[in-house]
Coordinates of all heavy atoms in Angstrom, one line a residue:
A436 N 5.8 -104.4 71.8 CA 5.7 -105.8 72.2 C 7.1 -106.4 72.5 O 7.1 -107.4 73.2 CB 5.0 -106.6 71.0
H437 N 8.1 -105.9 71.8 CA 9.4 -106.5 72.0 C 9.9 -106.4 73.5 O 10.5 -107.3 74.0 CB 10.4 -105.7 71.1 CG 11.8 -106.3 71.2 ND1 12.7 -105.9 72.1 CD2 12.4 -107.3 70.5 CE1 13.8 -106.6 72.0 NE2 13.6 -107.4 71.0
G438 N 9.5 -105.4 74.2 CA 9.9 -105.2 75.6 C 8.8 -105.7 76.5 O 8.8 -105.4 77.7
G439 N 7.8 -106.4 76.0 CA 6.6 -106.7 76.8 C 6.8 -108.1 77.5 O 7.9 -108.6 77.6
V440 N 5.6 -108.7 77.8 CA 5.6 -110.0 78.5 C 4.9 -111.0 77.6 O 3.9 -110.7 76.9 CB 4.8 -109.9 79.8 CG1 4.7 -111.3 80.4 CG2 5.5 -108.9 80.8
R441 N 5.5 -112.1 77.5 CA 4.9 -113.2 76.7 C 4.2 -114.2 77.6 O 4.9 -114.8 78.4 CB 6.0 -113.9 75.8 CG 5.4 -115.0 75.0 CD 6.5 -115.5 74.0 NE 5.9 -116.5 73.2 CZ 6.4 -117.6 72.8 NH1 7.7 -117.9 73.2 NH2 5.8 -118.5 72.0
A442 N 2.9 -114.3 77.5 CA 2.1 -115.2 78.3 C 1.8 -116.5 77.5 O 1.2 -116.4 76.4 CB 0.8 -114.6 78.7
T443 N 2.4 -117.6 78.0 CA 2.3 -118.8 77.2 C 1.3 -119.8 77.8 O 1.0 -120.8 77.3 CB 3.6 -119.5 77.0 OG1 4.2 -119.7 78.3 CG2 4.6 -118.6 76.3
C444 N 0.9 -119.6 79.1 CA -0.1 -120.4 79.8 C -1.1 -119.6 80.4 O -0.9 -118.5 80.8 CB 0.7 -121.3 80.8 SG 1.9 -122.4 80.2
G445 N -2.3 -120.2 80.6 CA -3.3 -119.5 81.3 C -4.3 -120.5 82.0 O -4.3 -121.7 81.6
Y446 N -5.1 -120.0 82.9 CA -6.1 -120.9 83.5 C -7.3 -120.0 83.9 O -7.2 -118.8 84.0 CB -5.5 -121.6 84.7 CG -5.2 -120.8 85.9 CD1 -6.2 -120.7 86.9 CD2 -4.1 -120.0 86.0 CE1 -6.0 -119.8 88.0 CE2 -3.8 -119.2 87.1 CZ -4.8 -119.1 88.1 OH -4.6 -118.3 89.2
V447 N -8.4 -120.7 84.2 CA -9.5 -120.0 84.8 C -9.8 -120.5 86.2 O -9.4 -121.6 86.5 CB -10.8 -120.2 83.9 CG1 -10.6 -119.5 82.5 CG2 -11.2 -121.6 83.8
S448 N -10.5 -119.6 87.0 CA -10.7 -120.0 88.4 C -12.1 -120.5 88.6 O -12.6 -120.6 89.7 CB -10.4 -118.8 89.3 OG -11.1 -117.7 88.9
G449 N -12.9 -120.7 87.5 CA -14.2 -121.2 87.7 C -14.8 -121.8 86.4 O -14.2 -121.5 85.3
P450 N -15.8 -122.6 86.5 CA -16.4 -123.3 85.3 C -17.4 -122.4 84.5 O -17.9 -122.9 83.5 CB -17.0 -124.5 85.9 CG -17.5 -124.1 87.2 CD -16.4 -123.2 87.7
Y451 N -17.8 -121.3 85.0 CA -18.8 -120.4 84.3 C -18.2 -119.1 83.9 O -17.2 -118.6 84.5 CB -19.9 -120.1 85.3 CG -20.5 -121.3 86.0 CD1 -20.3 -121.6 87.3 CD2 -21.3 -122.2 85.2 CE1 -20.9 -122.7 87.9 CE2 -21.9 -123.3 85.8 CZ -21.7 -123.6 87.2 OH -22.2 -124.7 87.8
C452 N -18.8 -118.6 82.8 CA -18.1 -117.4 82.2 C -18.2 -116.1 83.1 O -17.2 -115.4 83.2 CB -18.8 -117.1 80.9 SG -20.5 -116.7 80.8
S453 N -19.3 -115.8 83.7 CA -19.4 -114.6 84.5 C -18.5 -114.6 85.7 O -17.8 -113.6 85.9 CB -20.8 -114.3 84.9 OG -21.0 -113.1 85.6
P454 N -18.5 -115.6 86.5 CA -17.6 -115.6 87.7 C -16.1 -115.6 87.3 O -15.3 -114.9 87.9 CB -17.9 -116.9 88.4 CG -19.3 -117.3 88.0 CD -19.4 -116.8 86.6
T455 N -15.7 -116.3 86.2 CA -14.4 -116.3 85.7 C -14.0 -114.9 85.3 O -12.9 -114.4 85.6 CB -14.2 -117.3 84.6 OG1 -14.5 -118.6 85.0 CG2 -12.8 -117.3 84.0
R456 N -14.9 -114.2 84.6 CA -14.6 -112.8 84.1 C -14.5 -111.9 85.3 O -13.6 -111.0 85.4 CB -15.8 -112.4 83.2 CG -15.6 -111.0 82.6 CD -16.7 -110.7 81.6 NE -16.6 -111.6 80.4 CZ -17.6 -112.6 80.3 NH1 -18.6 -112.8 81.1 NH2 -17.5 -113.4 79.2
A457 N -15.4 -112.0 86.3 CA -15.3 -111.2 87.5 C -14.0 -111.4 88.3 O -13.4 -110.5 88.7 CB -16.5 -111.6 88.5
G458 N -13.5 -112.7 88.3 CA -12.2 -112.9 88.9 C -11.1 -112.3 88.1 O -10.2 -111.7 88.7
F459 N -11.1 -112.4 86.8 CA -10.1 -111.8 86.0 C -10.1 -110.3 86.1 O -9.0 -109.7 86.3 CB -10.3 -112.2 84.5 CG -9.4 -111.5 83.6 CD1 -8.1 -112.0 83.5 CD2 -9.8 -110.5 82.8 CE1 -7.2 -111.4 82.6 CE2 -8.9 -109.9 81.9 CZ -7.6 -110.4 81.8
L460 N -11.2 -109.6 86.1 CA -11.3 -108.2 86.2 C -10.9 -107.6 87.6 O -10.5 -106.5 87.7 CB -12.7 -107.7 85.9 CG -13.1 -107.9 84.4 CD1 -14.6 -107.5 84.2 CD2 -12.2 -107.0 83.5
T461 N -11.1 -108.4 88.6 CA -10.8 -107.9 90.0 C -9.4 -108.4 90.5 O -8.9 -107.9 91.4 CB -11.8 -108.3 91.0 OG1 -11.9 -109.8 91.0 CG2 -13.2 -107.8 90.6
G462 N -8.9 -109.5 89.9 CA -7.7 -110.1 90.4 C -7.9 -110.9 91.7 O -7.0 -111.2 92.4
R463 N -9.2 -111.2 92.0 CA -9.5 -112.0 93.2 C -10.3 -113.2 92.8 O -11.0 -113.3 91.8 CB -10.4 -111.1 94.1 CG -9.8 -109.8 94.6 CD -10.7 -109.1 95.5 NE -10.8 -109.8 96.7 CZ -11.9 -109.8 97.5 NH1 -12.9 -109.0 97.2 NH2 -11.9 -110.5 98.6
Y464 N -10.3 -114.2 93.7 CA -11.1 -115.4 93.5 C -12.6 -115.0 93.7 O -12.9 -114.3 94.7 CB -10.8 -116.5 94.5 CG -9.5 -117.2 94.2 CD1 -8.4 -117.1 95.0 CD2 -9.3 -118.0 93.0 CE1 -7.2 -117.8 94.7 CE2 -8.2 -118.6 92.7 CZ -7.1 -118.5 93.6 OH -5.9 -119.1 93.3
Q465 N -13.4 -115.3 92.7 CA -14.8 -114.8 92.7 C -15.6 -115.4 93.9 O -16.5 -114.7 94.4 CB -15.5 -115.1 91.4 CG -15.5 -116.6 91.0 CD -14.2 -117.0 90.3 OE1 -13.2 -116.4 90.3 NE2 -14.3 -118.2 89.7
Q466 N -15.2 -116.5 94.5 CA -15.8 -117.0 95.6 C -15.6 -116.1 96.9 O -16.4 -116.2 97.8 CB -15.3 -118.4 96.0 CG -15.6 -119.5 94.9 CD -14.5 -119.5 93.8 OE1 -13.7 -118.6 93.7 NE2 -14.6 -120.5 92.9
R467 N -14.6 -115.3 96.9 CA -14.3 -114.5 98.0 C -15.3 -113.3 98.1 O -15.3 -112.6 99.1 CB -12.9 -114.0 98.0 CG -11.9 -115.2 98.0 CD -10.7 -114.8 98.7 NE -9.8 -115.9 98.7 CZ -9.2 -116.4 99.8 NH1 -9.5 -115.8 100.9 NH2 -8.4 -117.4 99.7
F468 N -16.0 -113.0 97.0 CA -16.9 -111.9 97.0 C -18.3 -112.2 96.5 O -19.1 -111.4 96.1 CB -16.4 -110.6 96.4 CG -15.9 -110.8 94.9 CD1 -16.8 -110.6 93.9 CD2 -14.6 -111.2 94.7 CE1 -16.3 -110.7 92.6 CE2 -14.1 -111.3 93.4 CZ -15.0 -111.1 92.3
G469 N -18.6 -113.5 96.6 CA -20.0 -114.0 96.3 C -20.4 -114.0 94.8 O -21.6 -113.8 94.5
H470 N -19.5 -114.2 93.9 CA -19.9 -114.3 92.5 C -19.5 -115.7 91.9 O -18.8 -115.8 90.9 CB -19.2 -113.2 91.7 CG -19.7 -112.9 90.4 ND1 -20.6 -111.8 90.2 CD2 -19.6 -113.5 89.2 CE1 -20.9 -111.8 88.9 NE2 -20.3 -112.8 88.3
E471 N -20.1 -116.7 92.5 CA -19.7 -118.1 92.1 C -20.4 -118.6 90.9 O -20.0 -119.6 90.3 CB -19.9 -119.1 93.2 CG -19.1 -118.8 94.5 CD -19.9 -118.0 95.5 OE1 -20.6 -118.6 96.3 OE2 -19.8 -116.8 95.4
F472 N -21.6 -118.0 90.5 CA -22.4 -118.5 89.5 C -22.8 -117.4 88.5 O -22.7 -116.2 88.8 CB -23.7 -119.0 90.1 CG -23.5 -120.1 91.1 CD1 -23.6 -119.8 92.5 CD2 -23.1 -121.4 90.7 CE1 -23.3 -120.8 93.4 CE2 -22.8 -122.3 91.7 CZ -23.0 -122.1 93.0
N473 N -23.2 -117.8 87.3 CA -23.7 -116.8 86.3 C -25.0 -116.1 86.9 O -25.8 -116.8 87.4 CB -24.0 -117.5 85.0 CG -22.8 -117.8 84.2 OD1 -21.8 -117.1 84.3 ND2 -22.9 -118.7 83.3
P474 N -25.1 -114.8 86.7 CA -26.4 -114.2 87.1 C -27.5 -114.6 86.2 O -27.3 -115.0 85.1 CB -26.1 -112.7 86.9 CG -24.9 -112.6 86.0 CD -24.2 -113.9 86.1
G475 N -28.7 -114.6 86.8 CA -29.9 -114.9 86.0 C -30.3 -113.8 85.1 O -29.6 -112.8 84.9
G476 N -31.5 -113.9 84.5 CA -32.0 -112.8 83.6 C -32.3 -111.6 84.4 O -32.4 -111.5 85.6
P477 N -32.5 -110.5 83.6 CA -32.8 -109.2 84.3 C -34.2 -109.2 84.9 O -35.2 -109.6 84.3 CB -32.8 -108.2 83.1 CG -33.0 -109.0 81.9 CD -32.5 -110.4 82.2
S478 N -34.2 -108.8 86.2 CA -35.5 -108.7 86.9 C -35.3 -107.9 88.1 O -34.2 -107.7 88.6 CB -36.0 -110.1 87.3 OG -35.2 -110.7 88.3
A479 N -36.4 -107.4 88.7 CA -36.3 -106.6 89.9 C -35.7 -107.4 91.1 O -35.1 -106.8 92.0 CB -37.7 -106.0 90.2
E480 N -36.0 -108.7 91.1 CA -35.5 -109.5 92.2 C -34.0 -109.9 92.1 O -33.4 -110.4 93.0 CB -36.4 -110.8 92.3 CG -37.8 -110.5 92.5 CD -38.6 -110.3 91.2 OE1 -38.2 -110.9 90.2 OE2 -39.5 -109.5 91.2
N481 N -33.5 -109.8 90.9 CA -32.2 -110.3 90.6 C -31.1 -109.3 91.1 O -30.9 -108.2 90.5 CB -32.0 -110.6 89.1 CG -30.7 -111.3 88.9 OD1 -29.8 -111.5 89.8 ND2 -30.5 -111.7 87.7
S482 N -30.4 -109.6 92.1 CA -29.4 -108.8 92.7 C -28.0 -109.3 92.4 O -27.0 -108.8 92.9 CB -29.5 -108.5 94.2 OG -29.4 -109.8 94.8
A483 N -27.9 -110.4 91.6 CA -26.6 -111.1 91.3 C -25.8 -110.2 90.4 O -26.3 -109.4 89.5 CB -26.9 -112.4 90.6
G484 N -24.5 -110.2 90.5 CA -23.6 -109.5 89.6 C -22.4 -109.0 90.4 O -22.3 -109.2 91.6
L485 N -21.5 -108.4 89.6 CA -20.3 -107.9 90.2 C -20.6 -106.7 91.1 O -21.1 -105.7 90.6 CB -19.3 -107.5 89.1 CG -17.9 -107.0 89.6 CD1 -17.2 -108.1 90.4 CD2 -17.1 -106.6 88.4
S486 N -20.3 -106.8 92.3 CA -20.6 -105.7 93.3 C -19.7 -104.5 93.0 O -18.5 -104.6 92.6 CB -20.3 -106.2 94.7 OG -20.3 -105.1 95.6
L487 N -20.3 -103.3 93.1 CA -19.6 -102.1 92.9 C -18.5 -101.9 94.0 O -17.6 -101.0 93.9 CB -20.5 -100.9 92.9 CG -21.5 -100.8 91.8 CD1 -22.5 -99.7 91.9 CD2 -20.7 -100.7 90.5
E488 N -18.6 -102.7 95.1 CA -17.6 -102.6 96.1 C -16.2 -103.2 95.7 O -15.2 -103.0 96.3 CB -18.1 -103.3 97.4 CG -19.3 -102.6 98.0 CD -19.8 -103.4 99.2 OE1 -19.3 -104.5 99.6 OE2 -20.9 -103.0 99.7
Q489 N -16.3 -104.0 94.6 CA -15.0 -104.6 94.1 C -14.3 -103.7 93.2 O -14.9 -103.1 92.3 CB -15.4 -105.9 93.4 CG -16.0 -107.0 94.2 CD -15.2 -107.3 95.4 OE1 -14.0 -107.5 95.3 NE2 -15.8 -107.4 96.6
T490 N -13.0 -103.5 93.4 CA -12.2 -102.7 92.6 C -11.6 -103.5 91.4 O -11.1 -104.6 91.6 CB -11.0 -102.2 93.4 OG1 -11.5 -101.5 94.5 CG2 -10.1 -101.2 92.6
T491 N -11.8 -103.0 90.2 CA -11.3 -103.7 89.0 C -9.9 -103.3 88.7 O -9.4 -102.3 89.1 CB -12.3 -103.5 87.8 OG1 -12.2 -102.1 87.5 CG2 -13.7 -103.9 88.2
L492 N -9.3 -104.1 87.8 CA -8.0 -103.8 87.3 C -8.0 -102.5 86.5 O -7.1 -101.7 86.7 CB -7.5 -104.9 86.4 CG -6.2 -104.8 85.7 CD1 -5.1 -104.6 86.6 CD2 -6.0 -105.9 84.7
A493 N -9.1 -102.2 85.8 CA -9.2 -101.0 85.1 C -9.2 -99.8 86.0 O -8.5 -98.8 85.7 CB -10.5 -100.9 84.2
T494 N -9.9 -99.8 87.1 CA -9.9 -98.7 88.1 C -8.5 -98.5 88.7 O -8.0 -97.4 88.8 CB -10.9 -99.0 89.2 OG1 -12.1 -99.2 88.7 CG2 -10.9 -97.9 90.2
R495 N -7.8 -99.6 88.9 CA -6.4 -99.5 89.5 C -5.5 -98.9 88.4 O -4.6 -98.0 88.7 CB -5.9 -100.8 89.9 CG -6.6 -101.3 91.1 CD -6.0 -102.6 91.7 NE -6.8 -103.2 92.7 CZ -6.8 -102.9 93.9 NH1 -6.1 -101.9 94.4 NH2 -7.6 -103.5 94.8
L496 N -5.7 -99.3 87.1 CA -4.8 -98.7 86.1 C -5.1 -97.2 85.8 O -4.2 -96.4 85.6 CB -5.0 -99.5 84.8 CG -4.4 -100.9 84.7 CD1 -4.9 -101.6 83.5 CD2 -2.9 -100.8 84.8
Q497 N -6.4 -96.9 85.9 CA -6.8 -95.4 85.8 C -6.1 -94.6 86.9 O -5.7 -93.5 86.6 CB -8.3 -95.3 85.9 CG -9.0 -95.7 84.6 CD -10.5 -95.7 84.8 OE1 -11.1 -95.7 85.9 NE2 -11.2 -95.8 83.6
G498 N -6.1 -95.1 88.1 CA -5.4 -94.5 89.2 C -3.9 -94.3 89.0 O -3.3 -93.4 89.5
A499 N -3.4 -95.1 88.1 CA -1.9 -95.0 87.8 C -1.7 -94.1 86.5 O -0.6 -94.1 86.0 CB -1.3 -96.4 87.6
G500 N -2.8 -93.5 86.0 CA -2.7 -92.7 84.8 C -3.0 -93.3 83.5 O -2.8 -92.6 82.5
Y501 N -3.4 -94.5 83.5 CA -3.7 -95.2 82.2 C -5.1 -94.8 81.8 O -6.0 -94.6 82.6 CB -3.6 -96.7 82.3 CG -2.2 -97.2 82.4 CD1 -1.5 -97.3 83.6 CD2 -1.5 -97.6 81.3 CE1 -0.2 -97.7 83.7 CE2 -0.2 -98.1 81.4 CZ 0.4 -98.1 82.6 OH 1.7 -98.6 82.7
A502 N -5.4 -94.8 80.5 CA -6.7 -94.7 79.9 C -7.2 -96.2 79.7 O -6.5 -97.0 79.2 CB -6.7 -94.0 78.6
T503 N -8.5 -96.5 80.1 CA -9.0 -97.8 79.9 C -10.3 -97.7 79.1 O -10.9 -96.7 79.0 CB -9.3 -98.5 81.3 OG1 -10.2 -97.7 82.0 CG2 -8.0 -98.6 82.1
A504 N -10.7 -98.9 78.6 CA -12.0 -99.0 77.9 C -12.5 -100.4 78.0 O -11.7 -101.3 78.3 CB -11.8 -98.6 76.4
L505 N -13.8 -100.6 77.7 CA -14.4 -101.9 77.7 C -14.7 -102.3 76.3 O -15.4 -101.5 75.6 CB -15.7 -101.9 78.6 CG -16.5 -103.2 78.4 CD1 -15.8 -104.4 79.1 CD2 -17.9 -103.0 79.1
V506 N -14.3 -103.5 75.9 CA -14.6 -104.0 74.5 C -14.9 -105.4 74.7 O -14.2 -106.2 75.3 CB -13.4 -103.9 73.6 CG1 -13.7 -104.4 72.2 CG2 -12.9 -102.4 73.5
G507 N -16.1 -105.8 74.2 CA -16.5 -107.2 74.3 C -17.7 -107.5 75.2 O -18.4 -106.6 75.7
K508 N -17.8 -108.7 75.6 CA -18.9 -109.2 76.4 C -18.8 -108.8 77.8 O -17.7 -108.9 78.4 CB -18.9 -110.7 76.3 CG -20.1 -111.4 77.0 CD -20.0 -112.9 76.8 CE -21.0 -113.6 77.6 NZ -20.9 -115.0 77.5
W509 N -19.8 -108.3 78.4 CA -19.8 -107.8 79.8 C -20.3 -109.0 80.7 O -19.6 -109.6 81.4 CB -20.7 -106.6 80.0 CG -20.6 -106.1 81.4 CD1 -21.7 -106.1 82.3 CD2 -19.5 -105.5 82.1 NE1 -21.3 -105.5 83.5 CE2 -20.0 -105.2 83.4 CE3 -18.2 -105.3 81.8 CZ2 -19.1 -104.6 84.4 CZ3 -17.4 -104.7 82.8 CH2 -17.9 -104.4 84.0
H510 N -21.6 -109.3 80.7 CA -22.2 -110.4 81.4 C -21.7 -110.6 82.8 O -21.3 -111.6 83.2 CB -22.0 -111.7 80.6 CG -22.9 -112.8 81.1 ND1 -22.4 -114.1 81.5 CD2 -24.2 -112.9 81.4 CE1 -23.4 -114.8 81.9 NE2 -24.5 -114.1 81.8
L511 N -21.8 -109.5 83.6 CA -21.5 -109.5 85.0 C -22.6 -109.1 85.9 O -22.5 -108.8 87.0 CB -20.3 -108.6 85.2 CG -19.0 -109.0 84.7 CD1 -17.9 -107.9 84.7 CD2 -18.5 -110.2 85.5
G512 N -23.9 -109.2 85.3 CA -25.0 -108.9 86.1 C -25.8 -107.7 85.4 O -25.4 -107.2 84.4
Y513 N -27.0 -107.4 86.0 CA -27.8 -106.4 85.4 C -28.0 -105.2 86.3 O -28.7 -104.3 85.9 CB -29.2 -107.1 85.2 CG -29.1 -108.2 84.2 CD1 -29.0 -109.5 84.6 CD2 -29.1 -107.9 82.8 CE1 -28.9 -110.5 83.7 CE2 -28.9 -109.0 81.9 CZ -28.8 -110.3 82.4 OH -28.7 -111.3 81.5
R514 N -27.4 -105.2 87.4 CA -27.4 -104.0 88.3 C -26.5 -102.9 87.7 O -25.5 -103.2 87.1 CB -27.0 -104.4 89.7 CG -28.0 -105.4 90.3 CD -27.6 -105.8 91.7 NE -27.8 -104.7 92.6 CZ -27.4 -104.7 93.8 NH1 -26.7 -105.7 94.3 NH2 -27.7 -103.7 94.6
P515 N -26.7 -101.7 88.0 CA -25.8 -100.6 87.6 C -24.4 -100.8 88.2 O -24.2 -101.3 89.2 CB -26.4 -99.3 88.1 CG -27.9 -99.7 88.4 CD -27.9 -101.1 88.7

């Protein structure tokens, strides 16, 4: 931590949890890839969610040799 970065301010890019999370995980504004709203409940008709076409920060870190994991709330849709 001594040689790390101290983050003292932060902001979100949307008023809903899922789009904000999608933006954080991809490093992109969620409006640029169609994730402006929280996805609805699980159903065959529901195609809302974070698209697999979007590259996440975890994927980029893995490509650089880091090990990554998911801990906590996902809520990015119900599609695989």
Side-chain angles (χ1 to χ4, degrees):
H437 184 270
V440 175
R441 183 172 182 218
T443 60
C444 297
Y446 72 96
V447 296
S448 57
Y451 307 109
C452 61
S453 184
T455 300
R456 189 173 294 107
F459 177 75
L460 290 175
T461 61
R463 299 182 67 209
Y464 288 115
Q465 58 275 16
Q466 296 87 348
R467 300 210 180 235
F468 54 92
H470 197 100
E471 300 94 89
F472 303 102
N473 281 336
S478 70
E480 302 83 35
N481 188 352
S482 63
L485 182 60
S486 169
L487 293 176
E488 295 175 4
Q489 297 304 312
T490 304
T491 65
L492 176 61
T494 302
R495 293 187 190 278
L496 288 171
Q497 286 173 343
Y501 288 86
T503 63
L505 169 70
V506 178
K508 184 178 173 184
W509 182 249
H510 193 232
L511 288 168
Y513 298 96
R514 298 177 72 186

